[in-house]
Coordinates of all heavy atoms in Angstrom, one line a residue:
M9 N -72.1 4.8 29.4 CA -72.2 5.3 28.0 C -71.0 6.2 27.7 O -70.7 7.0 28.5 CB -73.5 6.0 27.8 CG -73.8 6.4 26.4 SD -75.5 6.9 26.2 CE -75.3 8.4 25.3
N10 N -70.5 6.0 26.5 CA -69.3 6.8 26.1 C -69.7 7.9 25.2 O -70.3 7.6 24.1 CB -68.3 5.8 25.4 CG -66.9 6.4 25.4 OD1 -66.7 7.5 25.8 ND2 -66.0 5.6 24.9
N11 N -69.5 9.1 25.5 CA -70.0 10.3 24.8 C -68.8 11.0 24.1 O -68.7 12.2 24.2 CB -70.7 11.3 25.6 CG -72.1 10.7 26.1 OD1 -72.7 9.9 25.4 ND2 -72.5 11.1 27.2
Y12 N -67.9 10.3 23.5 CA -66.8 10.9 22.8 C -67.2 11.2 21.3 O -67.9 10.4 20.7 CB -65.6 10.0 22.8 CG -65.0 9.8 24.2 CD1 -65.3 8.7 24.9 CD2 -64.1 10.7 24.6 CE1 -64.7 8.6 26.2 CE2 -63.5 10.6 25.9 CZ -63.8 9.5 26.6 OH -63.2 9.4 27.9
S13 N -66.7 12.3 20.8 CA -66.9 12.6 19.4 C -65.8 11.8 18.6 O -64.9 11.3 19.2 CB -66.8 14.1 19.2 OG -65.5 14.5 19.4
E14 N -66.0 11.8 17.3 CA -65.0 11.2 16.5 C -63.7 12.0 16.6 O -63.7 13.2 16.6 CB -65.4 11.3 15.0 CG -66.5 10.3 14.7 CD -66.1 8.8 14.9 OE1 -65.0 8.5 14.4 OE2 -66.9 8.1 15.5
P15 N -62.5 11.3 16.7 CA -61.2 12.0 16.9 C -60.9 12.9 15.7 O -61.2 12.5 14.5 CB -60.2 10.9 17.0 CG -61.0 9.7 17.4 CD -62.4 9.9 16.8
T16 N -60.3 14.0 15.9 CA -59.8 14.9 14.9 C -58.3 14.7 14.8 O -57.6 14.9 15.8 CB -60.1 16.4 15.2 OG1 -61.5 16.5 15.5 CG2 -59.6 17.3 14.2
S17 N -57.8 14.4 13.6 CA -56.4 14.1 13.4 C -55.7 15.4 12.9 O -56.2 16.0 12.0 CB -56.2 13.0 12.4 OG -54.9 12.7 12.3
I18 N -54.6 15.7 13.5 CA -53.8 16.9 13.2 C -52.3 16.5 13.0 O -51.8 15.7 13.7 CB -53.9 17.9 14.4 CG1 -55.3 18.3 14.6 CG2 -53.0 19.1 14.1 CD1 -55.6 19.0 15.8
S19 N -51.7 17.1 12.0 CA -50.3 16.9 11.7 C -49.6 18.2 11.8 O -50.0 19.2 11.2 CB -50.1 16.3 10.3 OG -48.8 16.1 10.0
I20 N -48.4 18.3 12.5 CA -47.7 19.5 12.8 C -46.3 19.1 13.2 O -46.1 18.0 13.7 CB -48.4 20.4 13.8 CG1 -47.8 21.8 13.9 CG2 -48.4 19.7 15.2 CD1 -48.7 22.8 14.7
R21 N -45.4 20.0 13.1 CA -44.0 19.9 13.6 C -43.9 20.4 15.0 O -44.6 21.3 15.4 CB -43.0 20.6 12.7 CG -42.7 19.9 11.4 CD -41.6 20.5 10.7 NE -41.4 19.8 9.4 CZ -40.3 19.8 8.8 NH1 -39.2 20.5 9.2 NH2 -40.2 19.1 7.6
G22 N -43.1 19.7 15.8 CA -42.9 20.2 17.2 C -41.6 19.6 17.8 O -41.1 18.6 17.3
Q23 N -41.2 20.3 18.8 CA -39.9 19.9 19.5 C -40.3 19.3 20.8 O -41.1 19.8 21.6 CB -39.1 21.2 19.7 CG -37.7 20.9 20.3 CD -36.9 22.1 20.4 OE1 -37.4 23.1 21.1 NE2 -35.8 22.2 19.8
F24 N -39.7 18.1 21.0 CA -39.9 17.4 22.3 C -39.3 18.1 23.5 O -38.1 18.3 23.5 CB -39.4 15.9 22.1 CG -39.7 15.1 23.3 CD1 -41.0 14.8 23.7 CD2 -38.7 14.5 24.0 CE1 -41.3 14.0 24.8 CE2 -39.0 13.7 25.1 CZ -40.3 13.4 25.5
V25 N -40.1 18.4 24.4 CA -39.7 19.1 25.6 C -39.2 18.1 26.7 O -38.2 18.2 27.3 CB -40.8 20.0 26.2 CG1 -40.4 20.6 27.5 CG2 -41.2 21.1 25.2
G26 N -40.0 17.0 26.8 CA -39.7 16.0 27.8 C -40.9 15.2 28.3 O -42.0 15.6 28.0
Y27 N -40.6 14.2 29.1 CA -41.6 13.5 29.8 C -41.8 14.1 31.2 O -40.9 14.0 32.0 CB -41.2 12.0 29.9 CG -42.2 11.1 30.5 CD1 -43.4 10.8 29.9 CD2 -42.0 10.6 31.8 CE1 -44.3 9.9 30.5 CE2 -42.9 9.8 32.4 CZ -44.1 9.4 31.7 OH -45.0 8.6 32.3
L28 N -42.9 14.8 31.3 CA -43.1 15.6 32.6 C -44.5 15.2 33.2 O -45.5 15.2 32.6 CB -43.1 17.1 32.3 CG -41.9 17.6 31.5 CD1 -42.2 19.0 31.0 CD2 -40.7 17.5 32.4
Q29 N -44.4 14.8 34.5 CA -45.6 14.5 35.3 C -46.5 13.5 34.6 O -47.7 13.7 34.5 CB -46.3 15.8 35.7 CG -45.4 16.6 36.5 CD -46.1 18.0 36.9 OE1 -47.2 18.3 36.5 NE2 -45.4 18.7 37.7
G30 N -46.0 12.5 33.9 CA -46.8 11.5 33.3 C -47.3 11.8 31.9 O -48.1 11.1 31.3
G31 N -46.8 12.9 31.3 CA -47.2 13.3 30.0 C -46.1 13.6 29.1 O -45.0 13.9 29.6
Y32 N -46.3 13.4 27.8 CA -45.2 13.7 26.8 C -45.5 15.1 26.2 O -46.5 15.4 25.6 CB -45.3 12.6 25.7 CG -45.2 11.2 26.2 CD1 -46.3 10.5 26.6 CD2 -43.9 10.7 26.4 CE1 -46.1 9.2 27.2 CE2 -43.8 9.4 26.9 CZ -44.9 8.7 27.3 OH -44.7 7.4 27.9
V33 N -44.6 16.0 26.5 CA -44.8 17.4 26.3 C -44.0 17.9 25.0 O -42.8 17.6 24.9 CB -44.3 18.3 27.5 CG1 -44.6 19.8 27.2 CG2 -45.1 17.9 28.7
F34 N -44.7 18.6 24.1 CA -44.1 19.0 22.9 C -44.4 20.5 22.7 O -45.5 21.0 23.1 CB -44.7 18.3 21.6 CG -44.2 16.9 21.5 CD1 -44.7 15.9 22.2 CD2 -43.1 16.7 20.6 CE1 -44.2 14.6 22.0 CE2 -42.7 15.4 20.4 CZ -43.2 14.3 21.2
H35 N -43.4 21.3 22.2 CA -43.6 22.7 21.8 C -43.8 22.7 20.3 O -42.9 22.4 19.6 CB -42.3 23.5 22.2 CG -42.5 24.9 22.0 ND1 -41.4 25.7 21.8 CD2 -43.5 25.7 21.9 CE1 -41.8 27.0 21.6 NE2 -43.1 27.0 21.7
L36 N -45.0 23.1 19.9 CA -45.4 23.0 18.5 C -44.9 24.2 17.7 O -44.7 25.3 18.3 CB -46.9 22.8 18.4 CG -47.5 21.7 19.1 CD1 -49.0 21.6 18.9 CD2 -46.9 20.4 18.8
E37 N -44.8 24.1 16.4 CA -44.4 25.2 15.6 C -45.3 26.4 15.6 O -44.9 27.5 15.3 CB -44.1 24.7 14.1 CG -45.4 24.3 13.4 CD -45.1 23.7 12.0 OE1 -44.0 23.7 11.6 OE2 -46.1 23.2 11.4
N38 N -46.5 26.2 16.0 CA -47.5 27.3 16.1 C -47.4 28.0 17.5 O -48.2 28.8 17.9 CB -48.9 26.9 15.8 CG -49.4 25.9 16.8 OD1 -48.8 25.5 17.8 ND2 -50.7 25.4 16.6
E39 N -46.3 27.6 18.3 CA -46.0 28.2 19.6 C -46.9 27.6 20.7 O -46.7 27.9 21.9 CB -46.1 29.7 19.6 CG -45.2 30.4 18.7 CD -43.7 30.0 19.0 OE1 -43.3 29.9 20.2 OE2 -42.9 29.9 18.0
D40 N -47.8 26.7 20.4 CA -48.6 26.0 21.4 C -47.7 24.9 22.1 O -46.8 24.4 21.5 CB -49.8 25.2 20.9 CG -50.9 26.2 20.5 OD1 -50.9 27.3 20.9 OD2 -51.8 25.7 19.7
I41 N -48.0 24.7 23.4 CA -47.3 23.6 24.1 C -48.4 22.6 24.4 O -49.5 23.0 24.9 CB -46.7 24.1 25.4 CG1 -45.5 25.1 25.0 CG2 -46.2 22.9 26.2 CD1 -44.8 25.7 26.2
I42 N -48.2 21.3 24.1 CA -49.2 20.3 24.3 C -48.6 19.2 25.0 O -47.5 18.8 24.9 CB -49.8 19.9 22.9 CG1 -51.0 19.0 23.0 CG2 -48.7 19.2 22.1 CD1 -51.8 18.9 21.7
D43 N -49.5 18.6 25.9 CA -49.1 17.5 26.8 C -50.0 16.3 26.4 O -51.2 16.4 26.6 CB -49.4 18.0 28.3 CG -49.0 16.9 29.3 OD1 -48.6 15.8 28.9 OD2 -49.0 17.3 30.5
F44 N -49.3 15.3 25.9 CA -50.0 14.1 25.5 C -50.1 13.1 26.6 O -49.1 12.6 27.1 CB -49.3 13.4 24.3 CG -49.3 14.3 23.0 CD1 -48.2 15.0 22.7 CD2 -50.5 14.4 22.2 CE1 -48.2 15.8 21.6 CE2 -50.5 15.2 21.1 CZ -49.3 15.9 20.8
D45 N -51.4 12.8 27.0 CA -51.6 11.8 28.1 C -51.6 10.4 27.5 O -51.3 9.5 28.2 CB -52.9 12.1 28.8 CG -52.9 13.4 29.6 OD1 -51.8 13.7 30.2 OD2 -53.9 14.1 29.5
Q46 N -52.0 10.3 26.3 CA -52.1 9.0 25.6 C -51.1 8.9 24.5 O -50.9 10.0 23.8 CB -53.5 8.7 25.1 CG -54.6 8.6 26.2 CD -55.9 8.3 25.6 OE1 -56.1 8.0 24.5 NE2 -56.9 8.3 26.5
I47 N -50.6 7.8 24.2 CA -49.6 7.6 23.2 C -49.7 6.2 22.5 O -50.0 5.3 23.2 CB -48.1 7.9 23.7 CG1 -47.1 7.9 22.6 CG2 -47.8 6.9 24.8 CD1 -45.8 8.5 23.1
N48 N -49.5 6.2 21.2 CA -49.5 4.9 20.5 C -48.3 4.1 21.0 O -47.2 4.6 20.9 CB -49.5 5.2 19.0 CG -49.5 3.9 18.2 OD1 -49.1 2.9 18.6 ND2 -50.2 4.1 17.0
P49 N -48.5 2.9 21.4 CA -47.4 2.1 22.0 C -46.3 1.9 20.9 O -45.1 1.7 21.3 CB -48.1 0.7 22.3 CG -49.5 1.0 22.4 CD -49.8 2.2 21.6
K50 N -46.6 1.9 19.7 CA -45.5 1.7 18.6 C -44.5 2.9 18.7 O -43.3 2.7 18.4 CB -46.2 1.7 17.2 CG -46.9 0.4 17.0 CD -47.6 0.4 15.6 CE -48.4 -0.8 15.4 NZ -49.0 -0.9 14.1
I51 N -45.0 4.1 19.1 CA -44.0 5.2 19.3 C -43.0 4.9 20.4 O -41.8 5.2 20.2 CB -44.8 6.5 19.6 CG1 -45.7 6.9 18.4 CG2 -43.9 7.6 20.0 CD1 -46.6 8.0 18.6
L52 N -43.5 4.3 21.5 CA -42.5 4.1 22.6 C -41.6 2.9 22.2 O -40.5 2.9 22.7 CB -43.3 3.7 23.8 CG -44.2 4.9 24.4 CD1 -44.9 4.4 25.6 CD2 -43.3 6.1 24.7
D53 N -42.0 2.0 21.3 CA -41.1 1.0 20.8 C -39.9 1.6 19.9 O -38.8 1.2 20.0 CB -41.8 0.0 19.9 CG -42.7 -0.9 20.7 OD1 -42.5 -1.0 22.0 OD2 -43.6 -1.5 20.1
A54 N -40.3 2.7 19.2 CA -39.3 3.4 18.3 C -38.4 4.4 19.0 O -37.3 4.6 18.7 CB -40.0 4.0 17.1
F55 N -39.1 5.1 20.0 CA -38.4 6.3 20.7 C -38.6 6.1 22.2 O -39.7 6.1 22.7 CB -39.0 7.6 20.2 CG -38.9 7.8 18.7 CD1 -40.1 7.7 18.0 CD2 -37.8 8.2 18.1 CE1 -40.1 7.9 16.6 CE2 -37.8 8.4 16.7 CZ -38.9 8.2 16.0
D56 N -37.5 6.2 22.9 CA -37.5 6.2 24.4 C -37.7 7.6 24.9 O -36.8 8.3 25.2 CB -36.2 5.6 25.0 CG -36.3 5.5 26.5 OD1 -37.4 5.7 27.1 OD2 -35.2 5.2 27.1
L57 N -39.0 8.0 24.9 CA -39.3 9.4 25.2 C -39.3 9.6 26.7 O -39.3 10.8 27.2 CB -40.7 9.7 24.7 CG -40.8 9.7 23.2 CD1 -42.2 10.1 22.8 CD2 -39.8 10.6 22.5
K58 N -39.1 8.6 27.5 CA -39.0 8.8 29.0 C -37.6 9.2 29.4 O -37.3 9.7 30.5 CB -39.5 7.6 29.8 CG -41.0 7.5 29.7 CD -41.5 6.4 30.5 CE -43.0 6.3 30.5 NZ -43.6 5.2 31.3
S59 N -36.6 8.9 28.5 CA -35.2 9.3 28.7 C -35.0 10.7 28.2 O -35.9 11.3 27.6 CB -34.3 8.4 28.1 OG -34.2 8.6 26.7
N60 N -33.8 11.3 28.3 CA -33.5 12.6 27.8 C -32.9 12.5 26.4 O -32.5 13.5 25.8 CB -32.5 13.3 28.7 CG -33.2 13.8 30.0 OD1 -34.4 14.2 30.0 ND2 -32.5 13.8 31.1
A61 N -32.9 11.3 25.8 CA -32.2 11.1 24.5 C -32.8 12.0 23.4 O -32.1 12.4 22.5 CB -32.3 9.6 24.1
F62 N -34.1 12.2 23.4 CA -34.8 12.9 22.3 C -35.2 14.3 22.8 O -36.0 15.0 22.0 CB -36.0 12.1 21.8 CG -35.6 10.9 21.1 CD1 -35.6 9.7 21.8 CD2 -35.1 10.9 19.8 CE1 -35.2 8.5 21.1 CE2 -34.7 9.8 19.2 CZ -34.7 8.6 19.8
K63 N -34.8 14.8 23.9 CA -35.1 16.1 24.4 C -34.6 17.2 23.4 O -33.5 17.0 22.9 CB -34.5 16.4 25.8 CG -35.0 17.6 26.4 CD -34.5 17.7 27.9 CE -35.1 18.9 28.6 NZ -34.7 18.9 30.0
N64 N -35.4 18.2 23.0 CA -35.1 19.2 22.1 C -35.0 18.7 20.6 O -34.5 19.4 19.8 CB -33.9 20.0 22.5 CG -34.0 20.7 23.8 OD1 -35.1 21.2 24.1 ND2 -33.0 20.6 24.6
T65 N -35.5 17.5 20.4 CA -35.5 17.0 19.0 C -36.8 17.4 18.3 O -37.9 17.3 18.9 CB -35.4 15.4 19.0 OG1 -34.1 15.1 19.7 CG2 -35.4 14.8 17.7
T66 N -36.7 17.7 17.0 CA -37.9 18.1 16.2 C -38.4 16.9 15.5 O -37.7 16.1 14.9 CB -37.5 19.2 15.2 OG1 -37.0 20.3 15.9 CG2 -38.7 19.6 14.4
F67 N -39.8 16.8 15.6 CA -40.5 15.7 15.0 C -41.6 16.2 14.2 O -42.2 17.3 14.4 CB -41.1 14.8 16.1 CG -40.2 14.0 16.9 CD1 -39.7 14.5 18.1 CD2 -39.8 12.7 16.5 CE1 -38.8 13.7 18.9 CE2 -38.9 11.9 17.3 CZ -38.4 12.4 18.5
E68 N -42.1 15.4 13.2 CA -43.4 15.6 12.6 C -44.3 14.8 13.4 O -44.1 13.6 13.7 CB -43.4 15.1 11.1 CG -44.6 15.3 10.4 CD -44.9 16.7 10.1 OE1 -43.9 17.5 9.9 OE2 -46.1 17.1 10.0
I69 N -45.4 15.4 13.9 CA -46.3 14.8 14.9 C -47.6 14.7 14.3 O -48.1 15.6 13.6 CB -46.4 15.8 16.1 CG1 -45.0 16.0 16.8 CG2 -47.4 15.2 17.1 CD1 -45.1 17.2 17.8
V70 N -48.2 13.5 14.5 CA -49.6 13.3 14.1 C -50.3 12.9 15.4 O -49.9 12.0 16.1 CB -49.8 12.2 13.1 CG1 -51.3 11.9 12.8 CG2 -49.0 12.5 11.8
Y71 N -51.3 13.7 15.8 CA -52.1 13.4 17.0 C -53.6 13.6 16.7 O -54.0 14.2 15.8 CB -51.6 14.3 18.1 CG -51.9 15.8 18.0 CD1 -53.0 16.3 18.7 CD2 -51.1 16.7 17.3 CE1 -53.3 17.7 18.6 CE2 -51.3 18.0 17.3 CZ -52.5 18.5 17.9 OH -52.8 19.8 17.8
S72 N -54.3 13.1 17.7 CA -55.8 13.2 17.6 C -56.3 13.9 18.8 O -55.8 13.8 19.9 CB -56.5 11.9 17.4 OG -56.1 11.0 18.5
E73 N -57.4 14.7 18.6 CA -58.1 15.4 19.7 C -59.4 14.6 19.8 O -60.2 14.5 18.9 CB -58.4 16.8 19.3 CG -57.2 17.7 19.2 CD -57.5 19.1 18.8 OE1 -58.6 19.3 18.3 OE2 -56.7 20.0 19.1
I74 N -59.6 14.1 21.1 CA -60.9 13.4 21.4 C -61.7 14.3 22.4 O -61.2 14.6 23.4 CB -60.6 12.0 21.9 CG1 -59.7 11.3 21.0 CG2 -61.9 11.3 22.2 CD1 -59.0 10.0 21.6
F75 N -62.8 14.7 22.0 CA -63.7 15.6 22.8 C -64.7 14.7 23.6 O -65.4 13.9 23.0 CB -64.4 16.6 22.0 CG -63.5 17.5 21.3 CD1 -63.0 17.3 20.0 CD2 -63.0 18.7 21.9 CE1 -62.1 18.1 19.3 CE2 -62.1 19.5 21.3 CZ -61.7 19.3 20.0
D76 N -64.7 14.9 24.9 CA -65.6 14.2 25.8 C -66.6 15.2 26.3 O -66.3 16.2 26.9 CB -64.8 13.6 27.0 CG -65.7 13.0 28.0 OD1 -66.9 12.8 27.8 OD2 -65.2 12.6 29.1
D77 N -67.9 14.9 26.0 CA -69.0 15.8 26.5 C -69.9 15.0 27.4 O -71.1 15.2 27.4 CB -69.7 16.4 25.3 CG -70.4 15.3 24.4 OD1 -70.2 14.1 24.7 OD2 -71.1 15.7 23.5
L78 N -69.3 14.2 28.2 CA -70.0 13.3 29.2 C -70.8 14.2 30.2 O -71.9 13.8 30.6 CB -69.0 12.4 29.9 CG -69.6 11.3 30.7 CD1 -70.5 10.4 29.9 CD2 -68.5 10.5 31.4
D79 N -70.2 15.3 30.6 CA -70.9 16.2 31.5 C -70.8 17.6 31.0 O -70.6 17.9 29.9 CB -70.4 16.0 32.9 CG -68.9 16.2 33.0 OD1 -68.3 16.9 32.1 OD2 -68.3 15.6 33.9
D80 N -71.1 18.5 31.9 CA -71.1 19.9 31.5 C -69.7 20.5 31.2 O -69.5 21.5 30.6 CB -71.7 20.8 32.6 CG -73.2 20.6 32.7 OD1 -73.8 20.1 31.7 OD2 -73.8 20.8 33.8
D81 N -68.7 19.8 31.8 CA -67.3 20.2 31.5 C -66.8 19.6 30.2 O -66.9 18.4 30.0 CB -66.4 19.8 32.7 CG -66.7 20.5 34.0 OD1 -67.2 21.6 33.9 OD2 -66.5 19.8 35.0
D82 N -66.3 20.4 29.3 CA -65.7 19.9 28.1 C -64.3 19.4 28.4 O -63.5 20.2 29.0 CB -65.7 21.0 27.0 CG -67.0 21.3 26.5 OD1 -67.9 20.5 26.5 OD2 -67.2 22.5 26.0
L83 N -64.0 18.2 28.0 CA -62.7 17.6 28.2 C -62.1 17.2 26.9 O -62.8 16.6 26.0 CB -62.8 16.4 29.1 CG -61.6 15.6 29.4 CD1 -60.6 16.4 30.2 CD2 -61.9 14.3 30.1
V84 N -60.9 17.6 26.6 CA -60.2 17.2 25.4 C -59.0 16.3 25.8 O -58.2 16.7 26.6 CB -59.6 18.5 24.6 CG1 -58.9 18.0 23.4 CG2 -60.7 19.4 24.3
I85 N -59.0 15.2 25.1 CA -57.9 14.2 25.3 C -57.0 14.3 24.1 O -57.5 14.1 23.0 CB -58.4 12.8 25.6 CG1 -59.3 12.8 26.8 CG2 -57.3 11.8 25.7 CD1 -60.1 11.5 27.0
F86 N -55.7 14.4 24.3 CA -54.8 14.5 23.2 C -54.0 13.1 23.1 O -53.4 12.7 24.1 CB -53.7 15.6 23.4 CG -54.4 17.0 23.3 CD1 -54.5 17.7 24.5 CD2 -54.8 17.5 22.2 CE1 -55.1 18.9 24.5 CE2 -55.4 18.8 22.1 CZ -55.5 19.5 23.3
K87 N -54.1 12.5 22.0 CA -53.4 11.2 21.8 C -52.4 11.3 20.7 O -52.7 11.7 19.6 CB -54.4 10.1 21.5 CG -53.7 8.7 21.3 CD -54.7 7.6 21.1 CE -53.9 6.3 21.0 NZ -54.8 5.2 20.7
L88 N -51.1 11.0 21.1 CA -50.0 11.0 20.1 C -50.1 9.7 19.3 O -50.0 8.6 19.8 CB -48.7 11.1 20.9 CG -47.5 11.4 20.1 CD1 -47.6 12.6 19.3 CD2 -46.3 11.5 21.1
E89 N -50.3 9.9 18.0 CA -50.6 8.8 17.1 C -49.3 8.3 16.3 O -49.1 7.1 16.1 CB -51.6 9.1 16.0 CG -53.0 9.5 16.6 CD -53.8 8.3 17.2 OE1 -53.3 7.2 17.1 OE2 -54.8 8.6 17.8
K90 N -48.5 9.3 15.9 CA -47.3 9.0 15.1 C -46.2 10.1 15.2 O -46.5 11.2 15.3 CB -47.7 8.9 13.6 CG -46.6 8.5 12.7 CD -47.1 8.4 11.2 CE -46.0 8.0 10.3 NZ -46.5 8.0 8.9
L91 N -45.0 9.6 15.3 CA -43.8 10.5 15.3 C -42.8 10.2 14.2 O -42.6 9.0 14.0 CB -43.1 10.4 16.7 CG -43.6 11.1 17.9 CD1 -42.6 10.9 19.0 CD2 -43.8 12.6 17.6
T92 N -42.3 11.2 13.6 CA -41.3 11.0 12.6 C -40.2 12.0 12.8 O -40.5 13.2 12.9 CB -41.9 11.2 11.1 OG1 -43.0 10.3 11.0 CG2 -40.8 10.8 10.1
L93 N -38.9 11.6 12.9 CA -37.8 12.5 13.1 C -37.7 13.4 11.8 O -37.9 12.9 10.7 CB -36.5 11.7 13.2 CG -36.2 11.2 14.6 CD1 -35.0 10.2 14.5 CD2 -36.0 12.3 15.6
V94 N -37.4 14.7 12.1 CA -37.3 15.7 11.0 C -35.8 15.9 10.8 O -35.0 16.0 11.7 CB -38.0 17.0 11.3 CG1 -37.8 18.0 10.3 CG2 -39.5 16.7 11.5

């Protein structure tokens, strides 16, 4: 059984830090650092984020937060939905 809540969509600007340990890391304008484990495949078609070509580049980011309450531990999954160069 899947106990995920409806995803919450968020839009914010952020600077791409790099592809680190299997995640896409961004430094957001609100000073948060977020590591996206999931990414829309269309983004990877448009931007080669595994290379250093877009390191320190600012994007408009749209992502979703998916909350998993399957057990006693709360788990949040961050999925990168859309990127636009600023």
Side-chain angles (χ1 to χ4, degrees):
M9 187 167 134
N10 201 353
N11 291 331
Y12 290 97
S13 68
E14 289 296 316
T16 303
S17 184
I18 298 165
S19 180
I20 192 168
R21 285 186 181 204
Q23 187 176 55
F24 183 59
V25 175
Y27 181 72
L28 308 169
Q29 299 177 355
Y32 302 90
V33 180
F34 285 82
H35 184 204
L36 305 181
E37 66 185 352
N38 64 2
E39 299 301 322
D40 286 345
I41 295 176
I42 191 165
D43 184 350
F44 295 100
D45 295 320
Q46 296 183 5
I47 188 167
N48 184 326
K50 291 180 182 178
I51 293 171
L52 296 178
D53 290 340
F55 304 104
D56 182 7
L57 297 179
K58 289 186 179 180
S59 74
N60 286 327
F62 293 100
K63 192 173 183 177
N64 299 319
T65 301
T66 301
F67 291 92
E68 183 69 29
I69 301 166
V70 177
Y71 70 95
S72 58
E73 294 179 339
I74 305 166
F75 296 92
D76 176 8
D77 60 357
L78 190 58
D79 52 27
D80 291 337
D81 296 330
D82 290 332
L83 176 68
V84 179
I85 298 168
F86 297 105
K87 181 176 182 184
L88 190 54
E89 301 287 354
K90 183 178 178 183
L91 278 183
T92 306
L93 279 169
V94 177

